[in-house]
Amino acid sequence: MTAKVADPKTVLLRADHLRRQIGDDFRDRIVSSLYADARRIADRSVRVGAEQKWDWDQKVDRIVTSPVLGLPIMLGILALVFWITIVGANYPSQMLAEFFFVVESTAVALFTDWGVPAWITGFIWNGVFRGLSWVVSVMLPPMAIFFPLFTILEDLGYLPRVAFNLDWLFRKSGAHGKQALTMAMGFGCNAAGVTATRVIDSPRERLIAILTNNFVPCNGRFPTLIMLATIFVAAAFPPAFASFAAAGAVVGVVLIGVGFTLLASWLLARTVLQGEASAFTLELPPYRRPSILRILYTSLIDRTIFVLWRAIMTAAPAGAVIWILANINIAGVSLAQRSADFLDLLGFAIGLDGVILLAYVIAIPANEIVVPTMLMIYMGVGMMSDVTSYGEIRTLLVEQQGWTMLTAINLMLFSLLHNPCATTIITIWKETRSARWTTIGALMPLAFAFAVTFAVATLWRIFA
């Protein structure tokens, strides 16, 4: 007698019906049941001489994974890491910038003495080299501080607790709890965050993590965020509290980025990447004493040098483009200024201006050069310029260029949400090997940036 074979469509409909009856937490209940059975077996098989007490790990975990205290502690640690990075990076960045300036001045003088044509000297040293020196001096110190701090938390065993605290948020958005770890890596560099998505087993959820990692600001965007937080936020506080106010403002921007990460994950999980979140059972590892050698290798060699080298390779062409645009004139007006004028209308629509948009176009290879590019165009000089203090920047931007609070707010939002840098785009391609997903990963954040800043600018002009 031949058995009747059920129609596949009928089987799938029946499975879907049963799944809805079981509920979304069926996997968690199965795991809880398994642990309960294991506990009953252990209680029947093992005798304990004295009353069992919570060990040190469990006592700490009851605090750092608490539903009430877990998230505030996490935000406090994040704010502390940002504050140390912001304060600690200032002096080494300035020293590196001064060193590169001396190298550039010496090289320019030598080329001049050797009779090298001025345009070659300018292109090599005032263009390519200065672009590279800006990226290194601005990017290296924050990475050299942030990555070791981050690696200490990783080596200590705290990052799995972060994933545990945020798992329910990512699961609600249709993503994987481990995305919290990859998102945290994005604070140092989005390219590193994209690479870190390899810890997610599900291809669908890994792709969601890749496409949304750009919504957390990397250290290449910190210079812009720190500048705006210092000029428009910290300036309103006494000097003793200015750095804390700036760090608080940056943390606020980070929280907005986390919100957009969850929103974009939710949209992707319900449209082009539909599917169920594969909830994972995370056994929290014991806390460990951090290994100094492992921290130094992982943070400085495997992360800092790796990311910095990619940034250098993409920043060199950007420095050349900036120099060419600033030094080729048409009817007495540089190509940079003409390009900025062309983008002015679009910039006004989103509360910015053409100079800012042009700076972001040029800075696709490396976000670190956004601020110096803006200053160069505003000042009308032929190379990226360094302004010695935030007071001078405020005078240039607010009093001479007419920046308002709307400009500052929308620039922070645009800096947070805009397209990833070339290094991250290349990394997305290497991780997905798909032109489609690489294009979506590059353009989706830009669509968010334009939509959000346009909405804010429109509402500001209506109600302000």
Side-chain angles (χ1 to χ4, degrees):
M1 183 175 180
T2 304
K4 185 178 180 180
V5 179
D7 178 41
K9 185 176 181 180
T10 303
V11 173
L12 291 175
L13 290 174
R14 179 62 176 167
D16 185 62
H17 175 71
L18 292 174
R19 187 182 294 111
R20 286 196 297 270
Q21 286 185 330
I22 292 173
D24 294 334
D25 61 341
F26 76 96
R27 188 177 185 279
D28 291 341
R29 285 188 281 136
I30 290 175
V31 173
S32 298
S33 176
L34 292 174
Y35 272 87
D37 288 342
R39 183 57 183 258
R40 283 194 296 270
I41 294 172
D43 289 341
R44 293 172 60 182
S45 307
V46 179
R47 294 183 179 276
V48 180
E51 182 181 354
Q52 188 176 7
K53 298 181 180 180
W54 294 101
D55 59 21
W56 184 84
D57 284 3
Q58 292 173 313
K59 290 179 181 178
V60 174
D61 280 341
R62 293 183 71 183
I63 298 175
V64 299
T65 62
S66 163
V68 178
L69 299 176
L71 290 179
I73 290 174
M74 184 182 67
L75 292 177
I77 292 175
L78 181 64
L80 178 62
V81 169
F82 282 142
W83 180 77
I84 294 174
T85 302
I86 291 171
V87 174
N90 287 334
Y91 297 107
S93 289
Q94 184 177 356
M95 292 173 62
L96 279 173
E98 292 174 353
F99 168 75
F100 286 126
F101 178 77
V102 172
V103 172
E104 180 186 336
S105 300
T106 305
V108 169
L110 287 174
F111 270 47
T112 302
D113 292 340
W114 294 341
V116 178
W119 70 270
I120 295 180
T121 302
F123 179 82
I124 294 176
W125 294 105
N126 300 139
V128 175
F129 180 80
R130 182 166 291 197
L132 291 175
S133 63
W134 259 98
V135 169
V136 174
S137 61
V138 171
M139 191 174 182
L140 179 58
M143 282 200 305
I145 296 174
F146 178 86
F147 277 138
L149 293 175
F150 186 87
T151 308
I152 288 174
L153 295 177
E154 183 180 28
D155 214 36
L156 183 65
Y158 179 71
L159 290 190
R161 276 79 182 172
V162 173
F164 180 88
N165 290 333
L166 295 178
D167 175 50
W168 66 277
L169 281 174
F170 284 99
R171 188 163 48 183
K172 289 287 185 182
S173 67
H176 198 286
K178 288 183 181 178
Q179 189 172 333
L181 302 178
T182 66
M183 182 184 67
M185 282 299 299
F187 290 131
C189 175
N190 293 127
V194 170
T195 303
T197 60
R198 296 172 185 174
V199 301
I200 300 175
D201 296 325
S202 165
R204 183 189 72 87
E205 291 164 336
R206 179 169 179 257
L207 190 53
I208 291 176
I210 288 173
L211 298 178
T212 59
N213 192 268
N214 185 69
F215 290 112
V216 292
C218 65
N219 62 37
R221 286 178 270 181
F222 284 150
T224 304
L225 298 176
I226 293 171
M227 179 197 74
L228 295 170
T230 303
I231 292 176
F232 289 92
V233 178
F237 289 81
F241 299 98
S243 61
F244 296 100
V250 174
V251 171
V253 173
V254 168
L255 293 179
I256 295 174
V258 172
F260 275 100
T261 300
L262 295 171
L263 174 61
S265 299
W266 183 84
L267 291 174
L268 289 170
R270 281 154 182 80
T271 53
V272 294
L273 291 172
Q274 292 184 9
E276 294 184 12
S278 57
F280 71 108
T281 303
L282 178 64
E283 295 187 6
L284 299 180
Y287 290 99
R288 303 181 299 268
R289 179 177 297 176
S291 170
I292 301 300
L293 292 178
R294 183 164 56 242
I295 289 172
L296 291 176
Y297 177 83
T298 302
S299 60
L300 298 180
I301 305 300
D302 199 32
R303 292 174 179 169
T304 301
I305 302 301
F306 171 76
V307 173
L308 183 64
W309 177 248
R310 280 193 177 183
I312 288 174
M313 295 301 292
T314 54
V321 170
I322 294 170
W323 187 89
I324 291 172
L325 291 177
N327 287 275
I328 296 180
N329 297 320
I330 299 177
V333 181
S334 69
L335 286 179
Q337 189 59 58
R338 288 188 179 275
S339 301
D341 293 341
F342 175 77
L343 295 170
D344 255 337
L345 184 61
L346 178 60
F348 176 81
I350 61 174
L352 304 175
D353 62 25
V355 171
I356 297 173
L357 292 185
L358 178 60
Y360 274 98
V361 172
I362 296 174
I364 290 176
N367 286 302
E368 292 78 11
I369 60 178
V370 167
V371 174
T373 301
M374 285 192 300
L375 298 179
M376 176 198 72
I377 301 174
Y378 281 138
M379 297 171 67
V381 296
M383 64 187 75
M384 286 190 294
S385 300
D386 188 11
V387 181
T388 57
S389 69
Y390 281 125
E392 293 182 13
I393 296 178
R394 179 179 178 84
T395 300
L396 174 65
L397 299 181
V398 177
E399 297 180 11
Q400 298 179 21
Q401 301 300 326
W403 278 31
T404 64
M405 184 59 71
L406 172 62
T407 313
I409 292 173
N410 271 13
L411 181 52
M412 293 185 86
L413 290 173
F414 193 85
S415 177
L416 172 70
L417 301 174
H418 77 285
N419 55 280
C421 68
T423 304
T424 303
I425 294 174
I426 293 171
T427 305
I428 293 175
W429 160 252
K430 289 186 176 181
E431 294 298 319
T432 63
R433 292 297 176 182
S434 167
R436 176 195 178 194
W437 293 120
T438 303
T439 302
I440 292 175
L443 297 183
M444 181 182 66
L446 191 62
F448 270 96
F450 277 106
V452 170
T453 52
F454 177 76
V456 171
T458 302
L459 294 174
W460 185 284
R461 287 162 182 154
I462 292 174
F463 297 106

